[in-house]
Amino acid sequence: MRIVGLTGGIASGKSTVSNLFKSHGVPVVDADVVARDALKKGSGGWKKVVADFGEEILLENGEVNRPMLGQIVFSDPDKRQFLNRLLAPHISSGIFWEVVKLWLKGYKVIVLDVPLLFEAKMDKFTKPIIVVWVDPETQIKRLMGRDKSSEEDAGNRINAQMPLDVKRNKADVVIDNTGSLDDLNEQFQKVLIEVSKPLTWTQFWLSRNGALIILASVTSGVVLCIKALS
């Protein structure tokens, strides 16, 4: 199995690229979706967050008020890191089982859409790593337009993440999303060809088909040995 890492920054267009992969039949494990599940009412992550941040972050129905929690952690680096540590085990476990499900279904290529790919050290499990990049001016302009937020709030949210220029330097593939959607789609088509290339031998043996071949070979060998000794 080839596990492609996809990351970027807030308002960089990562979700757009993620949706392009989905529309072309490539399954995507979305860390944001897994994180939402990890915060559902009654879950282990929910209990930890409520215990440490208080019941004032809850809505009337008992679910976490995500915008309120976001405002708290984006303005305080220590609280943000604390929240990440609380949820990291639950999110990592959720991503792992999503990958296992896709492996069992026989997919040869999947995409891990993880905003904190480098921060969570998950980049070492993915190849290639794709970073969706925009310049800082475009990023803050798009974020303010998308969320109707002030320049200060947008800046705080952007500064809470690893700078895109740093991520770009760690990437195998960079998608420059400062242009139009047509420009983005043109770059995506090239990336899609790259990630859809035949698996390496290592990736093949780690795929479901490779594992089945190994299992069949071992089983056949055992049967032949038993027959030879009988």
Side-chain angles (χ1 to χ4, degrees):
M1 174 183 277
R2 174 176 293 134
I3 303 178
V4 179
L6 175 64
T7 191
I10 189 170
S12 69
K14 176 183 62 64
S15 296
T16 302
V17 174
S18 181
N19 288 331
L20 284 171
F21 274 114
K22 294 175 187 176
S23 68
H24 285 77
V26 180
V28 175
V29 177
D30 190 332
D32 285 339
V33 173
V34 175
R36 284 196 288 272
D37 289 340
L39 266 182
K40 280 185 177 179
K41 181 180 177 181
S43 67
W46 179 90
K47 292 176 181 177
K48 287 184 178 180
V49 170
V50 173
D52 286 286
F53 285 87
E55 294 188 359
E56 58 268 22
I57 65 166
L58 296 179
L59 297 168
E60 290 183 3
N61 62 4
E63 295 289 351
V64 172
N65 186 331
R66 297 175 189 278
M68 178 185 290
L69 182 60
Q71 287 181 343
I72 293 171
V73 300
F74 276 120
S75 60
D76 189 325
D78 291 335
K79 289 182 179 178
R80 183 171 65 253
Q81 291 178 8
F82 180 65
L83 178 64
N84 287 338
R85 287 197 298 270
L86 283 181
L87 294 179
H90 303 279
I91 295 173
S92 297
S93 175
I95 290 174
F96 171 78
W97 286 113
E98 289 300 316
V99 171
V100 169
K101 290 176 187 176
L102 293 171
W103 182 84
L104 290 172
K105 291 179 180 179
Y107 285 102
K108 294 182 175 62
V109 179
I110 68 168
V111 172
L112 286 191
D113 179 350
V114 185
L116 302 179
L117 185 74
F118 297 112
E119 296 90 331
K121 311 298 182 185
M122 297 186 69
D123 53 303
K124 58 187 176 182
F125 302 114
T126 63
K127 192 73 174 180
I129 296 169
I130 302 169
V131 169
V132 184
W133 179 90
V134 292
D135 62 76
E137 293 78 14
T138 300
Q139 186 179 20
I140 196 167
K141 181 179 178 180
R142 288 179 179 173
L143 181 57
M144 291 172 62
R146 188 191 75 182
D147 294 351
K148 310 301 180 186
S149 58
S150 67
E151 185 172 355
E152 181 181 0
D153 287 341
N156 286 338
R157 297 188 70 183
I158 290 171
N159 292 332
Q161 300 181 335
M162 179 184 292
L164 276 175
D165 284 342
V166 175
K167 292 186 177 184
R168 178 175 60 177
N169 292 334
K170 295 173 176 285
D172 299 306
V173 178
V174 176
I175 295 179
D176 185 341
N177 191 28
T178 54
S180 66
L181 284 174
D182 288 339
D183 293 333
L184 177 64
N185 190 58
E186 183 178 345
Q187 294 178 74
F188 172 78
Q189 294 301 326
K190 296 177 181 177
V191 172
L192 183 62
I193 292 172
E194 182 66 26
V195 303
S196 301
K197 288 180 178 178
L199 300 182
T200 65
W201 280 111
T202 300
Q203 291 169 336
F204 173 74
W205 293 122
L206 290 174
S207 70
R208 188 190 68 167
N209 289 344
L212 289 174
I213 290 174
I214 292 173
L215 179 61
S217 298
V218 171
T219 303
S220 298
V222 171
V223 170
L224 290 174
C225 287
I226 292 174
K227 287 184 176 180
L229 294 172
S230 60

